[in-house]
Amino acid sequence: QGESDNRNQQKMEMKVWDPDNPLTDRQIDQFLVVARAVGTFARALDCSSSIRQPSLHMSAAAASRDITLFHAMDTLQRNGYDLAKAMSTLVPQGGPVLCRDEMEEWSASEAMLFEEALEKYGKDFNDIRQDFLPWKSLASIVQFYYMWKTTDRYIQQV
């Protein structure tokens, strides 16, 4: 205190969660349940989601992935851990917020192309992109790979 801070504040890390927040673990867990439900509802309202994931079960599974939980935790933090404010942020006036990750952005045929390319090239993501998925960015392919590794499809191939 009392000393000047010459560091570039734009480059400093940003606090995204306060472990000393006023909420109990039970309240946080309840909020995460609501966030998953909102994510499922958002997918039901979104035409492109209902085409890719036609069943409620698949939509609910997608809403339970990390992207939805990260959004929920960020929403709590940005709203000062005020549950009422955070709830209203999950469902603003235009409708529920839909959060998607790479697993949802890829079609079934793109995922099959990826698996075929992975079998041919291994983890050479540049060749996979060049020969199988040139419309995808390298970052998208790498991110998809690490999410794909957490699926049953990966376990079946190992």
Side-chain angles (χ1 to χ4, degrees), residues 69-85:
L69 299 179
F70 291 157
H71 173 69
M73 302 292 262
D74 183 56
T75 299
L76 272 176
Q77 198 274 336
R78 281 185 291 118
N79 286 282
Y81 304 93
D82 180 322
L83 287 173
K85 281 185 188 176

mmCIF file of all heavy atoms in Angstrom, residues 69-85:
data_model
loop_
_atom_site.group_PDB
_atom_site.id
_atom_site.type_symbol
_atom_site.label_atom_id
_atom_site.label_comp_id
_atom_site.label_asym_id
_atom_site.label_seq_id
_atom_site.Cartn_x
_atom_site.Cartn_y
_atom_site.Cartn_z
ATOM 1 N N LEU A 69 -21.114 -25.136 -17.424
ATOM 2 C CA LEU A 69 -20.728 -24.931 -16.031
ATOM 3 C C LEU A 69 -19.790 -23.741 -15.882
ATOM 4 O O LEU A 69 -19.904 -22.965 -14.932
ATOM 5 C CB LEU A 69 -20.103 -26.199 -15.467
ATOM 6 C CG LEU A 69 -21.028 -27.423 -15.474
ATOM 7 C CD1 LEU A 69 -20.310 -28.638 -14.911
ATOM 8 C CD2 LEU A 69 -22.306 -27.155 -14.718
ATOM 9 N N PHE A 70 -18.866 -23.568 -16.814
ATOM 10 C CA PHE A 70 -17.973 -22.409 -16.773
ATOM 11 C C PHE A 70 -18.782 -21.118 -16.889
ATOM 12 O O PHE A 70 -18.520 -20.138 -16.203
ATOM 13 C CB PHE A 70 -16.927 -22.468 -17.890
ATOM 14 C CG PHE A 70 -15.897 -23.553 -17.725
ATOM 15 C CD1 PHE A 70 -15.209 -24.022 -18.820
ATOM 16 C CD2 PHE A 70 -15.608 -24.106 -16.485
ATOM 17 C CE1 PHE A 70 -14.249 -25.011 -18.692
ATOM 18 C CE2 PHE A 70 -14.650 -25.099 -16.343
ATOM 19 C CZ PHE A 70 -13.976 -25.549 -17.455
ATOM 20 N N HIS A 71 -19.764 -21.124 -17.795
ATOM 21 C CA HIS A 71 -20.621 -19.949 -17.971
ATOM 22 C C HIS A 71 -21.386 -19.662 -16.677
ATOM 23 O O HIS A 71 -21.501 -18.507 -16.253
ATOM 24 C CB HIS A 71 -21.587 -20.167 -19.135
ATOM 25 C CG HIS A 71 -22.596 -19.080 -19.270
ATOM 26 N ND1 HIS A 71 -22.271 -17.809 -19.665
ATOM 27 C CD2 HIS A 71 -23.936 -19.076 -19.035
ATOM 28 C CE1 HIS A 71 -23.359 -17.059 -19.671
ATOM 29 N NE2 HIS A 71 -24.379 -17.809 -19.287
ATOM 30 N N ALA A 72 -21.908 -20.703 -16.035
ATOM 31 C CA ALA A 72 -22.667 -20.531 -14.800
ATOM 32 C C ALA A 72 -21.796 -19.950 -13.693
ATOM 33 O O ALA A 72 -22.200 -19.007 -12.997
ATOM 34 C CB ALA A 72 -23.261 -21.865 -14.363
ATOM 35 N N MET A 73 -20.598 -20.495 -13.524
ATOM 36 C CA MET A 73 -19.697 -20.012 -12.479
ATOM 37 C C MET A 73 -19.274 -18.559 -12.754
ATOM 38 O O MET A 73 -19.223 -17.735 -11.842
ATOM 39 C CB MET A 73 -18.460 -20.901 -12.379
ATOM 40 C CG MET A 73 -18.766 -22.348 -12.089
ATOM 41 S SD MET A 73 -19.435 -22.634 -10.476
ATOM 42 C CE MET A 73 -17.980 -23.123 -9.619
ATOM 43 N N ASP A 74 -19.016 -18.257 -14.019
ATOM 44 C CA ASP A 74 -18.660 -16.896 -14.400
ATOM 45 C C ASP A 74 -19.834 -15.945 -14.132
ATOM 46 O O ASP A 74 -19.638 -14.824 -13.663
ATOM 47 C CB ASP A 74 -18.255 -16.854 -15.874
ATOM 48 C CG ASP A 74 -17.806 -15.483 -16.311
ATOM 49 O OD1 ASP A 74 -16.877 -14.927 -15.686
ATOM 50 O OD2 ASP A 74 -18.397 -14.945 -17.274
ATOM 51 N N THR A 75 -21.041 -16.404 -14.426
ATOM 52 C CA THR A 75 -22.234 -15.598 -14.186
ATOM 53 C C THR A 75 -22.384 -15.287 -12.698
ATOM 54 O O THR A 75 -22.690 -14.151 -12.325
ATOM 55 C CB THR A 75 -23.492 -16.321 -14.718
ATOM 56 O OG1 THR A 75 -23.340 -16.506 -16.131
ATOM 57 C CG2 THR A 75 -24.750 -15.538 -14.440
ATOM 58 N N LEU A 76 -22.164 -16.270 -11.861
ATOM 59 C CA LEU A 76 -22.217 -16.038 -10.412
ATOM 60 C C LEU A 76 -21.194 -14.988 -9.985
ATOM 61 O O LEU A 76 -21.507 -14.047 -9.253
ATOM 62 C CB LEU A 76 -21.944 -17.338 -9.646
ATOM 63 C CG LEU A 76 -23.121 -18.234 -9.331
ATOM 64 C CD1 LEU A 76 -22.635 -19.516 -8.650
ATOM 65 C CD2 LEU A 76 -24.146 -17.539 -8.478
ATOM 66 N N GLN A 77 -19.966 -15.146 -10.456
ATOM 67 C CA GLN A 77 -18.893 -14.239 -10.059
ATOM 68 C C GLN A 77 -19.172 -12.822 -10.550
ATOM 69 O O GLN A 77 -19.036 -11.856 -9.807
ATOM 70 C CB GLN A 77 -17.552 -14.758 -10.593
ATOM 71 C CG GLN A 77 -16.348 -14.181 -9.915
ATOM 72 C CD GLN A 77 -15.873 -12.876 -10.506
ATOM 73 O OE1 GLN A 77 -16.125 -12.555 -11.657
ATOM 74 N NE2 GLN A 77 -15.181 -12.105 -9.699
ATOM 75 N N ARG A 78 -19.588 -12.678 -11.826
ATOM 76 C CA ARG A 78 -19.856 -11.348 -12.390
ATOM 77 C C ARG A 78 -21.015 -10.634 -11.690
ATOM 78 O O ARG A 78 -21.088 -9.408 -11.714
ATOM 79 C CB ARG A 78 -20.153 -11.428 -13.886
ATOM 80 C CG ARG A 78 -18.907 -11.572 -14.743
ATOM 81 C CD ARG A 78 -19.200 -11.527 -16.229
ATOM 82 N NE ARG A 78 -19.920 -12.732 -16.634
ATOM 83 C CZ ARG A 78 -21.145 -12.745 -17.149
ATOM 84 N NH1 ARG A 78 -21.807 -11.651 -17.346
ATOM 85 N NH2 ARG A 78 -21.718 -13.888 -17.479
ATOM 86 N N ASN A 79 -21.913 -11.404 -11.082
ATOM 87 C CA ASN A 79 -23.059 -10.829 -10.386
ATOM 88 C C ASN A 79 -22.855 -10.777 -8.876
ATOM 89 O O ASN A 79 -23.819 -10.728 -8.112
ATOM 90 C CB ASN A 79 -24.329 -11.604 -10.734
ATOM 91 C CG ASN A 79 -24.788 -11.290 -12.145
ATOM 92 O OD1 ASN A 79 -25.375 -10.247 -12.387
ATOM 93 N ND2 ASN A 79 -24.487 -12.181 -13.069
ATOM 94 N N GLY A 80 -21.607 -10.819 -8.442
ATOM 95 C CA GLY A 80 -21.282 -10.674 -7.035
ATOM 96 C C GLY A 80 -21.863 -11.765 -6.149
ATOM 97 O O GLY A 80 -22.154 -11.526 -4.977
ATOM 98 N N TYR A 81 -22.060 -12.951 -6.715
ATOM 99 C CA TYR A 81 -22.590 -14.108 -5.991
ATOM 100 C C TYR A 81 -24.014 -13.862 -5.472
ATOM 101 O O TYR A 81 -24.456 -14.482 -4.524
ATOM 102 C CB TYR A 81 -21.629 -14.569 -4.881
ATOM 103 C CG TYR A 81 -20.271 -14.867 -5.465
ATOM 104 C CD1 TYR A 81 -19.278 -13.902 -5.498
ATOM 105 C CD2 TYR A 81 -20.014 -16.091 -6.068
ATOM 106 C CE1 TYR A 81 -18.051 -14.150 -6.090
ATOM 107 C CE2 TYR A 81 -18.783 -16.353 -6.662
ATOM 108 C CZ TYR A 81 -17.816 -15.374 -6.671
ATOM 109 O OH TYR A 81 -16.605 -15.616 -7.266
ATOM 110 N N ASP A 82 -24.712 -12.938 -6.153
ATOM 111 C CA ASP A 82 -26.118 -12.676 -5.863
ATOM 112 C C ASP A 82 -26.932 -13.634 -6.733
ATOM 113 O O ASP A 82 -26.981 -13.487 -7.960
ATOM 114 C CB ASP A 82 -26.445 -11.218 -6.196
ATOM 115 C CG ASP A 82 -27.891 -10.844 -5.933
ATOM 116 O OD1 ASP A 82 -28.789 -11.678 -6.180
ATOM 117 O OD2 ASP A 82 -28.114 -9.706 -5.491
ATOM 118 N N LEU A 83 -27.561 -14.635 -6.105
ATOM 119 C CA LEU A 83 -28.264 -15.678 -6.856
ATOM 120 C C LEU A 83 -29.382 -15.123 -7.730
ATOM 121 O O LEU A 83 -29.556 -15.557 -8.872
ATOM 122 C CB LEU A 83 -28.816 -16.743 -5.910
ATOM 123 C CG LEU A 83 -27.778 -17.674 -5.302
ATOM 124 C CD1 LEU A 83 -28.409 -18.571 -4.244
ATOM 125 C CD2 LEU A 83 -27.110 -18.515 -6.373
ATOM 126 N N ALA A 84 -30.149 -14.167 -7.236
ATOM 127 C CA ALA A 84 -31.263 -13.608 -8.014
ATOM 128 C C ALA A 84 -30.753 -12.909 -9.274
ATOM 129 O O ALA A 84 -31.289 -13.111 -10.372
ATOM 130 C CB ALA A 84 -32.083 -12.652 -7.156
ATOM 131 N N LYS A 85 -29.717 -12.091 -9.119
ATOM 132 C CA LYS A 85 -29.131 -11.412 -10.284
ATOM 133 C C LYS A 85 -28.558 -12.421 -11.271
ATOM 134 O O LYS A 85 -28.719 -12.294 -12.484
ATOM 135 C CB LYS A 85 -28.024 -10.451 -9.849
ATOM 136 C CG LYS A 85 -28.476 -9.147 -9.300
ATOM 137 C CD LYS A 85 -27.235 -8.290 -9.041
ATOM 138 C CE LYS A 85 -27.544 -7.031 -8.310
ATOM 139 N NZ LYS A 85 -26.311 -6.285 -8.007
#
